[in-house]
Amino acid sequence: MSVATGIERHVQHPDRLFIGGQWVAPLSTALIDVVDSATEEVFLRVAEAGEADLDRAVAAARSAFDDGPWPSLTHTERAAFLRRLAAELATRGEGIKELWPRESGALASVAPHMAPMAAGVFEYYAGLADSYPFEEPVTPTVGSGFGLLVREPVGVVGAIIPWNVPLQLAVQKVAPALLAGCTVVLKAAPEAPGSAYVLAECAEAAGLPPGVFNILTADRAVSERLVTDPRVDKIAFTGSTAAGRRIASLCGQRIARYTLELGGKSAAVVLDDADLTKAATALAGAECFLAGQICASLTRIVVPRGVHDEFVETLAQVFSQVVVGDPYDPATQMGPLAMARQRDRVEGYIQAGVDSGAKLITGGGRPGHLERGYYIEPTVFGDVDNSSTIAQEEIFGPVLSVISAADEADAIRIANDTIYGLNAAVFTEDVDRARAVAGKLRSGTVGHNAMRADTGIAFGGFKQSGIGREGGLEGLLPYLETKTILLDDAPARYREGAAR
């Protein structure tokens, strides 16, 4: 049941699960309280799925793949469903505005744009239906005859999303999976289930066949059962590196396919010709819309030793002026963290930074003018040792660490001295220099003079930041299996094409 006025318009079936094309009652009465990050009050209650509910969802997805029409449709036919789903999703901006800031602390000014952006992901993958070579003729390298290289759906996909940007992370998995011909069980985070409900309502309105798309909200035990279920062919996960290690080990036991988009401790390399004020403004601003709760955040800032103090002071001045408050207030520039345990985590890392001898330049506490909500001040550390906890572990909050480097080569060494490799940036006025340094950074994305990521091309990490890519054409490939077919002669449609 919903407990906040107006939420009912945006989450119509909070006490249900979407399984087999229907909103069904869970097999238990357990509910999940969803807490508003700014008020610390419960604003929504949703059904909590148990293991028996998961079994139902996986069975529905398995039946829809093995016995239903979905995998047998042409890609163009599936694309028509994706476009209908996109049209439904594009109208849900107000719903996401009511849900995302409450669940995760995102700014309400940004939230309405998320639904149209997510709709664009479905449109993009629908557009690949007629352009991507799902089947192409090849010449056998052994013997004679006719060959085909065919790319078929991997099967049933278990998609597991976190609480920080749930809608975007869901559609980056669901859209390519559906185009490929897969069926999906989407497991939403209990802290932020609203977007999954919105997406299920859109799928229902778009008329997806029963069992093609299923959603449920559950905690870790049910997630692990999804990962280990032999009926699930592939896991697509976004979350912490620790959880990713566990998923990889479980999938490895049964040789299940998986893609993992994991944590980051991304470096911004500020070169000696960079405009320090512009760099500080860009880095501070990138932390604001979700209070640093982004895996791609540039939280390690590597600067020339000679300008360290100047840069730290400039960064602290810019970051300390950020207006922290109610995410629905137009004057607010940064909202709260998503939940109490996340604030506790960030505060623990801040204390670890102080204990390590790093210099706390600004922030480090809770804003004094806010009595409720999971707020933390924008925080800057200087004189940070790259081997310290705050330089090596993902904090997931608005905490920036500035590290000195002797020269460009040392800066690159420091940037790469981490188990992560998700994102990076180079700040320099010389584009050729930026390109050269980018080529030496072990990172899935490297931006120039800004925190940049482009899921329309590809997004993912090196090292322990993940396996595989999401977004763009690269994001389709993990949902396909490659099959080689060797025939005595060409099928009729290829012979007819040659004749024409």
Side-chain angles (χ1 to χ4, degrees):
M1 59 176 292
S2 174
V3 296
T5 302
I7 293 298
E8 295 91 342
R9 294 183 295 113
H10 307 300
V11 180
Q12 298 173 11
H13 309 284
D15 59 340
R16 303 276 167 154
L17 308 170
F18 190 67
I19 297 175
Q22 297 181 325
W23 291 100
V24 301
L27 297 176
S28 78
T29 58
L31 295 172
I32 294 171
D33 287 343
V34 186
V35 178
D36 189 316
S37 58
T39 67
E40 304 184 37
E41 297 175 352
V42 175
F43 79 98
L44 178 67
R45 289 192 178 97
V46 300
E48 180 175 5
E51 293 186 357
D53 297 306
L54 176 68
D55 286 342
R56 288 196 294 172
V58 172
R62 186 78 256 171
S63 177
F65 185 80
D66 292 340
D67 306 314
W70 188 251
S72 300
L73 297 178
T74 66
H75 296 91
T76 300
E77 289 170 332
R78 288 197 290 269
F81 284 97
L82 266 63
R83 291 192 172 97
R84 290 202 289 272
L85 207 158
E88 290 289 335
L89 191 53
T91 67
R92 302 302 184 104
E94 283 304 308
I96 299 303
K97 180 179 178 179
E98 289 300 316
L99 291 163
W100 191 27
R102 297 178 192 274
E103 292 177 334
S104 304
L107 294 179
S109 59
V110 175
H113 304 294
M114 189 56 64
M117 287 174 60
V121 175
F122 282 100
E123 289 284 0
Y124 169 80
Y125 283 105
L128 291 181
D130 297 319
S131 62
Y132 181 73
F134 291 96
E135 178 178 306
E136 54 185 323
V138 292
T139 301
T141 61
V142 178
S144 60
F146 183 87
L148 286 172
L149 190 64
V150 182
R151 298 170 180 91
E152 298 181 349
V154 71
V156 174
V157 173
I160 304 173
I161 57 172
W163 46 261
N164 60 334
V165 194
L167 180 59
Q168 191 70 13
L169 295 173
V171 300
Q172 292 290 356
K173 297 167 177 58
V174 174
L178 294 183
L179 177 68
C182 300
T183 59
V184 179
V185 176
L186 176 66
K187 205 290 294 183
E191 300 87 356
S195 295
Y197 276 85
V198 169
L199 192 55
E201 290 171 14
C202 293
E204 181 184 31
L208 286 179
V212 169
F213 179 61
N214 311 269
I215 71 110
L216 41 80
T217 302
D219 218 328
R220 182 167 297 177
V222 172
S223 298
E224 187 151 316
R225 188 177 180 101
L226 178 63
V227 172
T228 58
D229 194 312
R231 296 169 294 177
V232 177
D233 298 292
K234 171 185 167 56
I235 294 296
F237 172 78
T238 298
S240 72
T241 293
R245 294 187 192 110
R246 175 66 176 166
I247 288 170
S249 67
L250 293 172
C251 286
Q253 293 174 23
R254 60 186 187 90
I255 318 297
R257 277 66 175 142
Y258 58 88
T259 50
L260 304 173
E261 199 274 280
L262 306 177
K265 192 66 181 178
S266 301
V269 177
V270 180
L271 299 182
D272 52 20
D273 68 334
D275 184 311
L276 299 185
T277 300
K278 287 182 180 177
T281 301
L283 290 164
E287 291 295 287
C288 289
F289 91 96
L290 198 52
Q293 299 171 121
I294 296 290
C295 56
S297 287
L298 299 170
T299 55
R300 288 190 306 142
I301 306 169
V302 187
V303 302
R305 188 164 295 150
V307 301
H308 171 275
D309 293 350
E310 178 186 356
F311 183 81
V312 165
E313 291 300 327
T314 303
L315 180 63
Q317 182 180 16
V318 173
F319 210 21
S320 64
Q321 292 174 355
V322 168
V323 178
V324 180
D326 181 355
Y328 289 96
D329 184 339
T332 295
Q333 296 173 300
M334 190 171 79
L337 297 174
M339 65 206 74
R341 77 167 188 272
Q342 188 62 23
R343 184 177 61 184
D344 292 345
R345 171 188 172 91
V346 173
E347 288 177 331
Y349 275 111
I350 291 171
Q351 186 59 53
V354 172
D355 294 344
S356 72
K359 187 175 181 181
L360 179 60
I361 308 298
T362 190
R366 303 181 184 185
H369 67 289
L370 297 167
E371 297 180 357
R372 294 190 303 171
Y374 307 121
Y375 294 96
I376 201 78
E377 292 174 327
T379 300
V380 174
F381 280 99
D383 292 322
V384 176
D385 185 329
N386 193 54
S387 65
S388 66
T389 297
I390 62 168
Q392 289 294 319
E393 296 186 14
E394 186 174 40
I395 297 174
F396 228 56
V399 181
L400 301 176
S401 298
V402 182
I403 305 165
S404 295
D407 52 28
E408 182 178 302
D410 191 39
I412 293 168
R413 179 193 64 78
I414 292 169
N416 288 333
D417 184 17
T418 170
I419 65 170
Y420 298 107
L422 185 59
N423 195 24
V426 183
F427 286 81
T428 174
E429 298 302 302
D430 185 336
V431 68
D432 292 320
R433 194 177 180 194
R435 172 61 186 90
V437 172
K440 298 175 183 177
L441 296 175
R442 298 285 294 164
S443 176
T445 298
V446 182
H448 183 202
N449 290 338
M451 190 197 96
R452 302 185 65 180
D454 194 331
T455 55
I457 301 173
F459 184 74
F462 287 23
K463 299 188 279 186
Q464 292 190 37
S465 283
I467 295 175
R469 294 295 181 266
E470 291 192 332
L473 180 58
E474 294 292 319
L476 173 63
L477 303 183
Y479 299 94
L480 298 169
E481 291 276 24
T482 301
K483 176 184 289 183
T484 301
I485 299 177
L486 301 172
L487 303 170
D488 288 340
D489 198 358
R493 65 179 180 276
Y494 289 100
R495 295 197 306 272
E496 292 165 1
R500 287 197 297 270

